[in-house]
Amino acid sequence: LFKTIIGYKDSAKNVTLCEEGITNLARQSDYDEAVRYKNNRQYERAIETFKKISFYKDADQQIRLCYELIEKEKQEKYNEILRKRTLELKQKRAKRRKVILIILLISLIPAVFIVLNNIKNANYEKGLENLEYKNYEEASSNFAFCTGIDYEYLKLISDKLAASNGIVTKDTFY
């Protein structure tokens, strides 16, 4: 309307104001759209839209903020990958340690049996020697270790053997 009456009073000024208002409405619309993109974490699209109106409001500042948010997001993804990888490595190490421990334990079992068997054999030999020297209590203790039979029971047998002067009959133990 003001364009049709150019030259009348301040119509030219009003034409300029109206055109600036229309331009500002379009810029505000783009600004709002860019803010929506930013809020939806679509930072690249937000940057593109803010660049169209870089001189409007704080668009330049919003562009820098979007770049910072992109970097922050990349860092968070990297940290998450790093955290997962660290956890996987810890789990693998723990599993490896368990396997090594199991292998060690399994390999030690025969050694333990060999050592125990050697100790039993030594005690058995010592028990025979003590019997030969009529040290019945010592022999009883040696044989108890070899057989796992209660020492008190073997002591009872030893006492009966001592009482029978080494002569063993079927009544000696009953």
Side-chain angles (χ1 to χ4, degrees):
L1 179 67
F2 287 113
K3 283 185 177 181
T4 60
I5 56 170
I6 291 190
Y8 181 76
K9 292 188 178 182
D10 60 351
S11 61
K13 181 181 166 188
N14 286 330
V15 167
T16 304
L17 285 173
C18 288
E19 286 174 347
E20 285 177 5
I22 291 170
T23 303
N24 282 339
L25 282 175
R27 288 178 185 154
Q28 184 62 45
S29 175
D30 287 343
Y31 185 88
D32 292 343
E33 181 181 21
V35 168
R36 274 194 301 279
Y37 286 141
K38 185 184 81 168
N39 291 341
N40 290 327
R41 301 174 79 156
Q42 297 175 331
Y43 303 120
E44 296 294 337
R45 290 182 81 179
I47 290 169
E48 289 174 24
T49 309
F50 279 125
K51 280 183 178 180
K52 290 179 192 174
I53 54 166
S54 63
F55 52 88
Y56 183 72
K57 288 188 175 183
D58 64 344
D60 288 335
Q61 190 177 7
Q62 292 292 332
I63 291 169
R64 283 191 299 277
L65 179 61
C66 286
Y67 280 123
E68 289 172 11
L69 290 170
I70 288 170
E71 287 305 311
K72 182 180 177 186
E73 206 170 70
K74 284 180 184 177
Q75 187 64 41
E76 287 172 356
K77 285 179 183 177
Y78 173 78
N79 289 342
E80 181 62 20
I81 290 168
L82 188 63
R83 187 191 65 74
K84 285 181 181 178
R85 184 66 181 136
T86 302
L87 181 62
E88 288 172 4
L89 288 173
K90 284 181 181 178
Q91 290 171 340
K92 283 181 181 180
R93 282 188 201 123
K95 185 176 181 181
R96 204 174 306 136
R97 286 182 187 132
K98 286 179 186 176
V99 169
I100 290 170
L101 182 61
I102 289 170
I103 290 170
L104 283 173
L105 289 174
I106 289 172
S107 64
L108 286 177
I109 291 172
V112 168
F113 280 116
I114 289 170
V115 168
L116 287 176
N117 193 39
N118 287 342
I119 292 171
K120 284 182 180 181
N121 285 341
N123 272 297
Y124 181 77
E125 294 297 324
K126 188 70 174 166
L128 290 177
E129 185 181 310
N130 282 324
L131 274 179
E132 189 175 315
Y133 293 116
K134 297 187 182 198
N135 294 329
Y136 300 118
E137 192 166 324
E138 287 291 320
S140 176
S141 175
N142 294 126
F143 292 133
F145 182 85
C146 294
T147 61
I149 296 174
D150 182 34
Y151 173 75
E152 293 301 320
Y153 176 70
L154 288 176
K155 186 170 181 336
L156 178 68
I157 293 172
S158 173
D159 291 344
K160 288 186 177 185
L161 280 172
S164 66
N165 292 321
I167 300 169
V168 178
T169 66
K170 69 178 184 173
D171 295 327
T172 304
F173 302 107
Y174 297 105

